[in-house]
């Protein structure tokens, strides 16, 4: 009897844990807290990982639960950081950035890059020393808290930038400098203050001893092949996002029988379509079929607007908006067929 009760209790506990399972979890550290001594001290590592990173993670899990976004990937959250607000932006960034940071450091770090990465560093920055100087200088002059990044941009080239707070090049809030980070250095005081106090420069010089270029190289190779790079490039296309917004906010209500939004906003739809046809198209999507489909979108939006101005009946508006929606999805389809 006692065993049955225990079994029941443990089943309930187990189920309870299951039901409250959180979408994101702390990545395992591949080394002990003291492994990066003397460059990063054990106490800083322990607090940084088990307190700071854990807090970003807890807040991220709470934020996605509150926003009912538990099925979103970390990448999706970051691409939409601006619209999703500060709790998602800061904590998705905090989780992603620290996960990358732990993963590129090692007590047995390979101190110099090799292969294609070494060649690209030399051709882009002149030398590894020049790259380090550039990153240290951007890190030193980052006011307040932030990160400095080596990343693969949407043209598959290496680039350096810094970002405030927990932002990173994946996020839509970075208006330039978009791409996939392959090396990030945390320049928040919590990353160095216990050992280096206010001497950020000493921390920046020391950290290169534990950055493992073999691991950075793996990130580089993965980023070059990653289809996510094309997703980021598409995410930089603001005019397409602006059109999409008006389309979503008029088409979906119409599907539910509400024609007020499209009758109020058909002129705005024309404006957004025209803006899309004159805005620069990101490199990978600058194809003739996509340009033609955008022109089709402008004329489709204009005929819809004429119908609205004539106060045409709902069935006419519905046919015209449905056709415009199909044209928009044709553009989306053409974008996903693009070979990077
Ligand atoms: Mn940190």
């Amino acid at each position: 009897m006692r065993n049955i009760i225990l079994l029941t209790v443990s089943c309930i506990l187990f189920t309870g844990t299951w039901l409250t399972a959180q979408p994101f979890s702390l990545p395992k550290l591949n080394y002990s807290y003291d492994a990066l001594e003397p460059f990063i001290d054990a106490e800083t590592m322990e607090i940084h990982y088990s307190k700071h990173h854990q807090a970003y993670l807890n807040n991220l899990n709470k934020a996605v639960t509150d926003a009912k976004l538990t099925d979103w990937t970390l990448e999706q959250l970051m691409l939409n950081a601006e619209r999703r607000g500060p709790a998602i932006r800061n904590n998705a960034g905090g989780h992603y950035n620290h996960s990358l940071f732990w993963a590129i450091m090692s007590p047995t770090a390979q101190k110099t890059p090799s292969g294609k990465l070494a060649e690209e560093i030399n051709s882009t920055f002149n030398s590894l020393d020049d790259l380090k100087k550039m990153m240290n200088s951007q890190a030193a002059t980052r006011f307040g808290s932030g990160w400095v990044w080596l990343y693969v941009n949407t043209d598959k080239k290496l680039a350096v930038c810094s970002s405030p707070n927990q932002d990173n090049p994946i996020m839509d809030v970075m208006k330039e400098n978009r791409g996939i980070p392959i090396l990030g250095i945390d320049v928040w005081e919590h990353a160095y203050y216990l050992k280096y106090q206010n001497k950020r420069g000493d921390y920046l010089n020391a950290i290169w001893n534990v950055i493992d270029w073999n691991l950075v190289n793996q990130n580089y190779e993965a980023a070059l092949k990653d289809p996510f790079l094309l997703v980021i490039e598409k995410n930089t296309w603001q005019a397409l996002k602006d059109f999409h917004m008006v389309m979503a906010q008029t088409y979906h209500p119409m599907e539910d029988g509400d024609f007020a939004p499209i009758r109020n906003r058909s002129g705005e739809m024309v404006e957004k379509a025209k803006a899309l046809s004159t805005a620069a198209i990101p490199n990978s999507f600058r194809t003739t079929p996509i340009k033609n489909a955008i022109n089709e979108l402008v004329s489709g939006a204009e005929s819809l607007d004429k119908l609205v101005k004539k106060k045409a009946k709902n069935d006419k508006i519905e046919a015209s908006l449905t056709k415009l929606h199909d044209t928009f999805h044709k553009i989306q389809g053409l974008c996903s067929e693009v070979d990077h």
Side-chain angles (χ1 to χ4, degrees), residues 16 18 65-66 98 111 126 234 240 246 259 280 311 324 339:
W18 230 87
T65 304
D66 290 350
H98 287 94
K111 301 282 173 56
N126 193 43
K234 185 160 174 236
L240 187 71
V246 184
F259 284 75
K311 301 203 181 340
L324 192 65
D339 193 11

Side-chain angles (χ1 to χ4, degrees), residues 310-322:
K310 279 199 303 196
K311 301 203 181 340
K313 292 219 164 68
N314 280 352
D315 59 336
K316 292 262 170 59
I317 302 287
E318 179 167 0
S320 181
L321 181 53
T322 302

Side-chain angles (χ1 to χ4, degrees), residues 52-64:
H52 289 281
H53 190 168
Q54 185 69 55
Y56 289 116
L57 191 73
N58 295 346
N59 292 333
L60 174 62
N61 284 330
K62 183 178 186 307
V64 292

Side-chain angles (χ1 to χ4, degrees), residues 48-49 52-53 56 94 97-98 101-102 146-147 166 185-192 203:
H48 201 175
Y49 173 81
H52 289 281
H53 190 168
Y56 289 116
N97 298 347
H98 287 94
F101 189 54
W102 313 134
W147 290 74
Q166 295 296 349
I185 299 175
D186 190 340
V187 289
W188 284 59
E189 280 189 347
H190 69 224
Y192 61 87
Y203 157 73

Side-chain angles (χ1 to χ4, degrees), residues 25 29-30 35 75 112 132 141 153 177 184 201 222 247 280 292 315:
S25 57
L29 271 189
N30 293 322
E75 283 76 13
T112 53
K132 287 182 186 175
T141 53
N153 71 17
N177 306 313
M247 175 56 82
N292 290 343
D315 59 336

Side-chain angles (χ1 to χ4, degrees), residues 50 102 120 179 272 319:
S50 71
W102 313 134
E120 281 295 307
K272 299 295 182 201

